[in-house]
Amino acid sequence: MFDSFNHLASILILFVWSFLSPILPSRPIITHQVATPSAKLQSSSPSALVSIPVVTTAPVPWGQTEKIGDHLYRTYVGSDPAMGTPDEILTAINNYRHPHGAQEVHRDDGLCKLAQSRAQQQDKLGNLDEHKGLEDYMKDDNHWRELNITAIGENASYGYVLSGVHLIEWVFDSDVEHRSNQLNPQWNLACAGTSGVTVDIIFGKR
């Protein structure tokens, strides 16, 4: 069965940044895209996206992950009959976090609305947007107040049709950066949005 996966198009996943909400009126944002939400200010260094899908001329081992940019990865996996629902993805996140000693993350309506909007934006784009949509959205102090959070993070993928468990355990577990973000002990809120072949997961701290 795994041999058939080797002929599927490879898909890009993008580790998304997390940043803190400072007390000062001006809100500096961390965009270094590494799962260190407590880090101080970093300069923005977005990585270019590559075309999707990528056609391979030789079989690639199922589950193999390639780093193709500063924080960009391509993972070779198959497909499931249907995309996981937001509730299934959230359950998979908590089932994944529990054995690692990370606290449960709870569904939040505000984060759900944002995650769904982000998924739709990027699915319409036909690619991942290097987090620009989220970064622009969180530049508005009112959005911090509306969400009532002090830190936010995002994992996003484009091109997969996978169950919630397979998204979390195959895709976002395939590299250190995504894995660290979904296991980040500070997160106590989360919600996923899906649109077409796009998944967007927003994590928050309150």
Side-chain angles (χ1 to χ4, degrees):
M1 177 180 67
F2 287 169
D3 289 341
S4 65
F5 293 148
N6 295 335
H7 301 290
L8 295 174
S10 59
I11 307 299
L12 177 70
I13 59 175
L14 176 62
F15 174 77
V16 187
W17 47 279
S18 57
F19 54 87
L20 296 178
S21 169
I23 298 175
L24 297 177
S26 60
R27 293 181 180 270
I29 296 175
I30 298 171
T31 57
H32 59 308
Q33 301 180 350
V34 177
T36 53
S38 60
K40 302 303 180 183
L41 274 179
Q42 304 288 325
S43 60
S44 176
S45 55
S47 302
L49 298 177
V50 300
S51 60
I52 301 173
V54 176
V55 178
T56 60
T57 58
V60 177
W62 182 95
Q64 178 174 312
T65 296
E66 299 174 342
K67 185 166 185 174
I68 56 175
D70 287 344
H71 306 287
L72 301 176
Y73 299 84
R74 180 185 298 132
T75 299
Y76 296 83
V77 295
S79 295
D80 289 326
M83 181 73 83
T85 67
D87 285 344
E88 290 169 348
I89 295 169
L90 183 61
T91 297
I93 291 171
N94 280 318
N95 289 340
Y96 179 87
R97 286 169 64 90
H98 179 71
H100 293 87
Q103 66 176 321
E104 182 175 351
V105 290
H106 299 279
R107 184 184 186 279
D108 178 82
D109 288 343
L111 295 189
C112 288
K113 182 178 179 181
L114 179 57
Q116 185 60 37
S117 174
R118 292 285 296 136
Q120 291 171 343
Q121 288 172 3
Q122 293 174 100
D123 195 62
K124 183 177 180 180
L125 181 65
N127 212 332
L128 300 174
D129 69 359
E130 303 178 79
H131 334 306
K132 187 178 185 303
L134 182 59
E135 183 178 10
D136 289 346
Y137 186 80
M138 297 310 296
K139 286 178 180 178
D140 188 334
D141 287 354
N142 290 324
H143 295 154
W144 284 100
R145 287 190 287 269
E146 290 168 1
L147 292 171
N148 189 27
I149 56 176
T150 58
I152 193 168
E154 180 184 54
N155 276 355
S157 68
Y158 175 83
Y160 296 99
V161 176
L162 292 171
S163 68
V165 171
H166 290 163
L167 282 163
I168 299 305
E169 297 187 3
W170 288 359
V171 177
F172 295 125
D173 181 64
S174 64
D175 63 86
V176 172
E177 293 177 307
H178 286 87
R179 185 183 311 122
S180 297
N181 199 37
Q182 65 181 6
L183 286 176
N184 193 316
Q186 79 164 334
W187 304 136
N188 55 15
L189 303 171
C191 198
T194 65
S195 180
V197 295
T198 305
V199 173
D200 194 271
I201 303 172
I202 300 291
F203 298 94
K205 177 184 178 182
R206 179 175 296 152

